[in-house]
């Protein structure tokens, strides 16, 4: 039997084998990953992402005034960004030269974790944009979408993100076809990288279109309402809303565009070595979007800000109570050491 056409698969190879084939210089990349400034930046970014999104999630859970469809989507965004923060720390700590000790299954798990989290965050941003458009176009304070539909939407976001993140594990990889291996993600197939980049760019385009439509609608609506309300008040409201929308779009496009263009370039052609060296910084830029999301989507919301203040006040009171207890214990101990203990010793001696 002729076995010349049977593909040879490299399941037992380490990730280092595929990185060497792609021409990646892990020693040079290690210098970037392990530099003091970059390590501190990664640590602060990851911890800040986890803290801020955990704070948003806590506020939504404890405040019943935030139990509405938009806040459920905001809570899901906080969960996805929380996963991004955790997976970002994991993938950064296990990158560089440490990749040489990682097996293919471990590498797929590490990369699948960050890919699933980022895709869930990206699709959730699109879901929030859809909800905001529906709410503003119907001139409602809260969306008319039922809780059941919101839950189904959230479940759909996670199912799609998990399927996309697990596709390489289920066979969409280059372990049996080395000629199709990606350069940015050496164990992934170029076709997979190209598909992910096009899908992400499509989601980005939809988000930009939705928020642009919101700006145009609100601007036209405000011009019609100027004869019934104060012109300065109407203008201030429109300017405030448009500033918020522009801030959302600006941060979103700034954080995601470099990474998506890098993946698109990798899927279509060859990636210059200089871009591969700064891949870690591009990933950090994407992670920064999960850092600014809780700030942008909550800092103008009075209910969320009030809940934040309550959380901080409770924490400070608990801290002060704990400190007072410790202080009192220290004072009693000092008094005992200075007065009672010597006195008791004298009495015992007598």
């Amino acid at each position: 039997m002729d076995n010349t056409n049977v593909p040879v698969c490299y399941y037992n190879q380490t990730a280092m084998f595929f990185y060497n084939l792609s021409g990646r210089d892990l020693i040079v990349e290690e210098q970037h990953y392990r530099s003091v400034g970059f390590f501190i930046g990664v640590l602060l970014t990851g911890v800040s992402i986890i803290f801020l999104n955990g704070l948003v999630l806590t506020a939504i859970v404890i405040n019943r005034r935030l139990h509405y469809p938009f806040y459920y989507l905001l809570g899901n965004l906080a969960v996805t960004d929380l996963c991004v923060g955790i997976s970002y720390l994991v993938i950064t700590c296990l990158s560089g030269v440490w990749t040489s000790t990682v097996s293919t299954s471990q590498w797929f798990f590490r990369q699948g974790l960050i890919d699933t989290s980022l895709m869930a965050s990206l699709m959730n941003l699109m879901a929030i944009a859809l909800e905001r458009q529906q709410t503003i176009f119907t001139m409602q304070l809260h969306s008319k979408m039922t809780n059941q539909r919101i839950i189904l939407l959230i479940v759909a976001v996670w199912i799609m993100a998990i399927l996309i993140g697990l596709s390489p594990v289920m066979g969409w990889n280059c372990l049996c076809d080395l000629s199709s291996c990606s350069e940015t993600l050496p164990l992934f197939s170029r076709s997979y990288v190209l598909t992910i980049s096009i899908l992400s760019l499509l989601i980005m385009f939809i988000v930009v279109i939705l928020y642009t439509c919101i700006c145009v609608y609100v601007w036209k609506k405000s011009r019609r309402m100027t004869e019934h309300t104060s012109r300065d008040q109407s203008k201030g409201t429109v300017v405030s809303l448009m500033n918020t929308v522009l801030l959302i779009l600006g941060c979103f496009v700034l954080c995601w565009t470099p990474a998506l263009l890098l993946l698109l370039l990798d899927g279509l052609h060859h990636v210059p070595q200089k871009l591969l060296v700064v891949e870690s910084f591009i990933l950090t830029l994407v992670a920064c979007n999960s850092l600014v999301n809780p700030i942008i989507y909550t800092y103008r919301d009075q209910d969320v800000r009030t809940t934040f203040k309550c959380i901080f006040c409770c924490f400070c009171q608990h801290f002060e109570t704990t400190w007072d207890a410790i202080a009192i214990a220290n004072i009693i101990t000092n008094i005992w050491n200075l007065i009672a203990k010597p006195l008791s010793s004298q009495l015992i001696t007598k």
Side-chain angles (χ1 to χ4, degrees), residues 247-320:
L247 184 61
I248 292 172
L249 289 180
C251 293
F252 177 64
V253 173
L254 178 65
C255 293
W256 278 92
T257 301
L260 296 182
L261 291 180
L262 177 65
L263 293 178
L264 184 63
L265 184 62
D266 184 19
L268 293 174
H269 193 55
H270 173 71
V271 180
Q273 186 65 31
K274 293 182 179 179
L275 289 180
L276 294 176
V277 172
V278 298
E279 181 188 1
S280 57
F281 296 99
I282 295 177
L283 176 61
T284 301
L285 192 61
V286 175
C288 284
N289 187 240
S290 297
L291 176 63
V292 300
N293 280 339
I295 300 174
I296 294 175
Y297 284 95
T298 60
Y299 84 105
R300 289 184 181 272
D301 194 297
Q302 182 64 39
D303 290 332
V304 177
R305 291 203 307 269
T306 302
T307 309
F308 284 173
K309 291 178 182 178
C310 292
I311 294 173
F312 283 121
C313 287
C314 293
F315 175 78
C316 291
Q317 289 176 359
H318 176 74
F319 178 77
E320 289 176 358

Side-chain angles (χ1 to χ4, degrees), residues 48-61 70-86 117 120-121 124-125 128 154 158 290-291 293-295 297-298 308:
S48 299
I49 291 172
I50 295 172
F51 171 75
L52 289 177
N53 288 284
L55 187 63
V56 172
L57 194 59
T58 303
I60 294 174
V61 170
F70 169 72
Y71 294 108
Y72 292 150
L73 290 176
L74 192 63
N76 189 51
L77 179 65
V79 172
T80 60
D81 287 339
L82 190 66
C83 294
V84 170
I86 296 173
S117 302
S121 178
N124 204 86
L125 288 172
I128 290 177
I154 292 174
W158 277 106
S290 297
L291 176 63
N293 280 339
I295 300 174
Y297 284 95
T298 60
F308 284 173

Side-chain angles (χ1 to χ4, degrees), residues 48-305:
S48 299
I49 291 172
I50 295 172
F51 171 75
L52 289 177
N53 288 284
L55 187 63
V56 172
L57 194 59
T58 303
I60 294 174
V61 170
I62 66 176
N63 191 347
R64 292 190 176 184
R65 292 172 59 89
L66 304 180
H67 293 182
Y68 288 98
F70 169 72
Y71 294 108
Y72 292 150
L73 290 176
L74 192 63
N76 189 51
L77 179 65
V79 172
T80 60
D81 287 339
L82 190 66
C83 294
V84 170
I86 296 173
S87 57
Y88 172 67
L89 289 177
V90 171
I91 197 172
T92 304
C93 292
L94 298 179
S95 297
V97 173
W98 289 357
T99 305
S100 60
T101 62
V102 176
S103 66
T104 55
S105 58
Q106 291 172 335
W107 190 93
F108 279 129
F109 173 79
R110 184 193 72 176
Q111 195 63 41
L113 186 64
I114 187 71
D115 290 345
T116 301
S117 302
L118 289 174
M119 187 55 64
S121 178
L122 187 60
M123 289 190 293
N124 204 86
L125 288 172
M126 182 177 65
I128 290 177
L130 286 168
E131 192 276 341
R132 287 292 85 191
Q133 186 200 38
Q134 181 192 34
T135 302
I136 292 175
F137 276 31
T138 55
M139 301 299 292
Q140 299 291 326
L141 180 61
H142 296 292
S143 174
K144 290 185 177 181
M145 295 180 66
T146 62
N147 292 338
Q148 290 77 8
R149 289 186 178 182
I150 289 295
I151 292 174
L152 288 176
L153 182 60
I154 292 174
V155 170
V157 165
W158 277 106
I159 290 177
M160 292 180 64
I162 292 173
L163 288 176
I164 293 172
L166 293 181
S167 292
V169 180
M170 294 185 291
W172 202 350
N173 54 58
C174 65
L175 299 185
C176 299
D177 185 11
L178 299 181
S179 62
S180 65
C181 286
S182 164
E183 292 182 79
T184 56
L185 303 168
L187 278 73
F188 286 173
S189 173
R190 284 185 184 273
S191 60
Y192 172 77
V193 173
L194 180 62
T195 302
I196 291 299
S197 61
I198 293 176
L199 178 61
S200 301
L201 286 170
L202 179 61
I203 294 175
M204 177 185 290
F205 179 74
I206 293 174
V207 172
V208 171
I209 292 297
L210 288 174
Y211 279 118
T212 302
C213 291
I214 290 174
C215 282
V216 173
Y217 176 81
V218 172
W219 181 260
K220 290 182 178 180
K221 196 75 174 179
S222 65
R223 294 184 63 181
R224 297 174 185 174
M225 295 176 62
T226 50
E227 58 185 30
H228 302 289
T229 58
S230 172
R231 184 177 182 86
D232 293 336
Q233 180 182 0
S234 177
K235 183 178 179 181
T237 303
V238 174
V239 171
S240 177
L241 179 59
M242 293 188 68
N243 286 338
T244 303
V245 172
L246 290 176
L247 184 61
I248 292 172
L249 289 180
C251 293
F252 177 64
V253 173
L254 178 65
C255 293
W256 278 92
T257 301
L260 296 182
L261 291 180
L262 177 65
L263 293 178
L264 184 63
L265 184 62
D266 184 19
L268 293 174
H269 193 55
H270 173 71
V271 180
Q273 186 65 31
K274 293 182 179 179
L275 289 180
L276 294 176
V277 172
V278 298
E279 181 188 1
S280 57
F281 296 99
I282 295 177
L283 176 61
T284 301
L285 192 61
V286 175
C288 284
N289 187 240
S290 297
L291 176 63
V292 300
N293 280 339
I295 300 174
I296 294 175
Y297 284 95
T298 60
Y299 84 105
R300 289 184 181 272
D301 194 297
Q302 182 64 39
D303 290 332
V304 177
R305 291 203 307 269

